[in-house]
């Protein structure tokens, strides 16, 4: 028993509004019941004022912790392009004025025009709060940005990101394939080890 809720229920509430993230987390942590924050809190939308992915993940997790006792998972993630000094980084979801996936990608492609080095990485910081414990784990996937979006799957910058060792973008992969190698997968694998260790 951890806090008031036994982890054996295998229920985890995710501090996100992003349906794509939720779907990916469900696929990766398939043995857990993954619930969205909106089932417990109306208009869950904490201000992401941290200076790093992990700071922002902790802000989201702590905000949700005010309302519920269940184990909480928060994902803060984004794209870092090396020749742009790590842009868009923690501002990935609000890179363009519009803040839509399409406008964000357009801005990125404009910023990259004329740059030779288009290498990039996706970063994910997953933060788990179980009772009094706070566990942070990061995951990365390296690749490059292409000049024209390709593919319909995924979300965010997936249509312009080709992971190292592949010829297709994340958006051209079936979800299962992306989920095998993504930054989210890598961070969640580490979280899963912690969860299994807690579940006595
Ligand atoms: P929550 O804060 O509610 O979780 P969000 O979409 O605002 O949802 P973030 O602040 O973590 O989440 O920003 C993540 C952004 O980074 C996301 O909107 C995408 O633009 C990008 N991103 C993160 N993971 C991605 C992935 O797997 N594929 C493509 N883009 C991704």
């Amino acid at each position: 028993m951890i806090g008031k809720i036994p982890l054996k229920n295998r229920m985890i509430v995710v501090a996100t509004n992003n349906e794509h993230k939720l779907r990916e987390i469900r696929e990766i942590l398939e043995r857990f019941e993954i619930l969205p924050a909106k089932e417990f809190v109306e208009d869950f939308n904490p201000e992401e004022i941290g200076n790093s992915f992990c700071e922002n993940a902790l802000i989201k997790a702590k905000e949700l912790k005010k309302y519920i006792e269940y184990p909480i998972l928060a994902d803060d993630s984004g794209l870092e392009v090396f020749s742009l000094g790590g842009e868009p980084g923690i501002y990935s979801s609000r890179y363009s004025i519009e803040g839509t996936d399409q406008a964000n990608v357009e801005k990125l492609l404009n910023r990259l025009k004329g740059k030779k080095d288009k290498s990039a990485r996706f970063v994910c910081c997953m933060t788990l709060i179980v009772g009094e414990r706070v566990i942070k784990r990061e995951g990365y996937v390296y690749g490059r940005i292409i000049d024209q979006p390709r593919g319909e799957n995924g979300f965010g910058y997936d249509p312009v990101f080709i992971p190292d060792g592949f010829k297709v973008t994340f958006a051209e992969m079936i979800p299962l394939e992306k989920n095998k190698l993504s930054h989210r997968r890598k961070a969640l694998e580490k979280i899963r080890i912690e969860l299994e260790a807690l579940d006595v």
Side-chain angles (χ1 to χ4, degrees), residues 74-85:
D75 165 315
D76 200 70
S77 46
L79 179 74
E80 291 181 338
V81 179
F82 298 110
S83 61
L84 297 178

Side-chain angles (χ1 to χ4, degrees), residues 79-81 84 87-88 95-96 102-113 120 145-146 157 160-161:
L79 179 74
E80 291 181 338
V81 179
L84 297 178
E87 274 185 38
Y95 195 36
S96 61
Q102 198 188 336
N104 290 342
V105 167
E106 267 170 31
K107 176 169 177 184
L108 178 71
L109 296 183
N110 278 329
R111 300 269 295 134
L112 272 174
K113 268 188 191 140
I145 304 300
I146 54 164
Y157 300 90
V160 290
F161 182 83

Side-chain angles (χ1 to χ4, degrees), residues 16-18 21 48 60 77 155 157-158 178 183-184:
T16 188
N17 291 310
N18 185 321
K21 284 186 184 177
E48 294 177 29
K60 297 181 213 182
S77 46
F155 70 104
Y157 300 90
D158 282 345
K178 174 189 170 186
H183 48 313
R184 193 156 291 108

Side-chain angles (χ1 to χ4, degrees), residues 119-175:
S119 58
R121 68 177 182 183
F122 274 119
V123 182
C124 173
C125 180
M126 281 285 170
T127 295
L128 175 73
I129 299 188
V130 184
E132 297 309 312
R133 287 198 61 188
V134 177
I135 299 166
K136 296 175 198 174
R137 294 291 181 270
E138 287 183 86
Y140 303 91
V141 59
Y142 289 81
R144 65 188 168 89
I145 304 300
I146 54 164
D147 296 338
Q148 290 288 328
R150 283 180 3 210
E152 302 296 325
N153 296 327
F155 70 104
Y157 300 90
D158 282 345
V160 290
F161 182 83
I162 296 188
D164 285 346
F166 290 80
K167 290 190 170 141
V168 291
T169 67
F170 263 171
E172 290 176 304
M173 293 181 177
I174 56 166

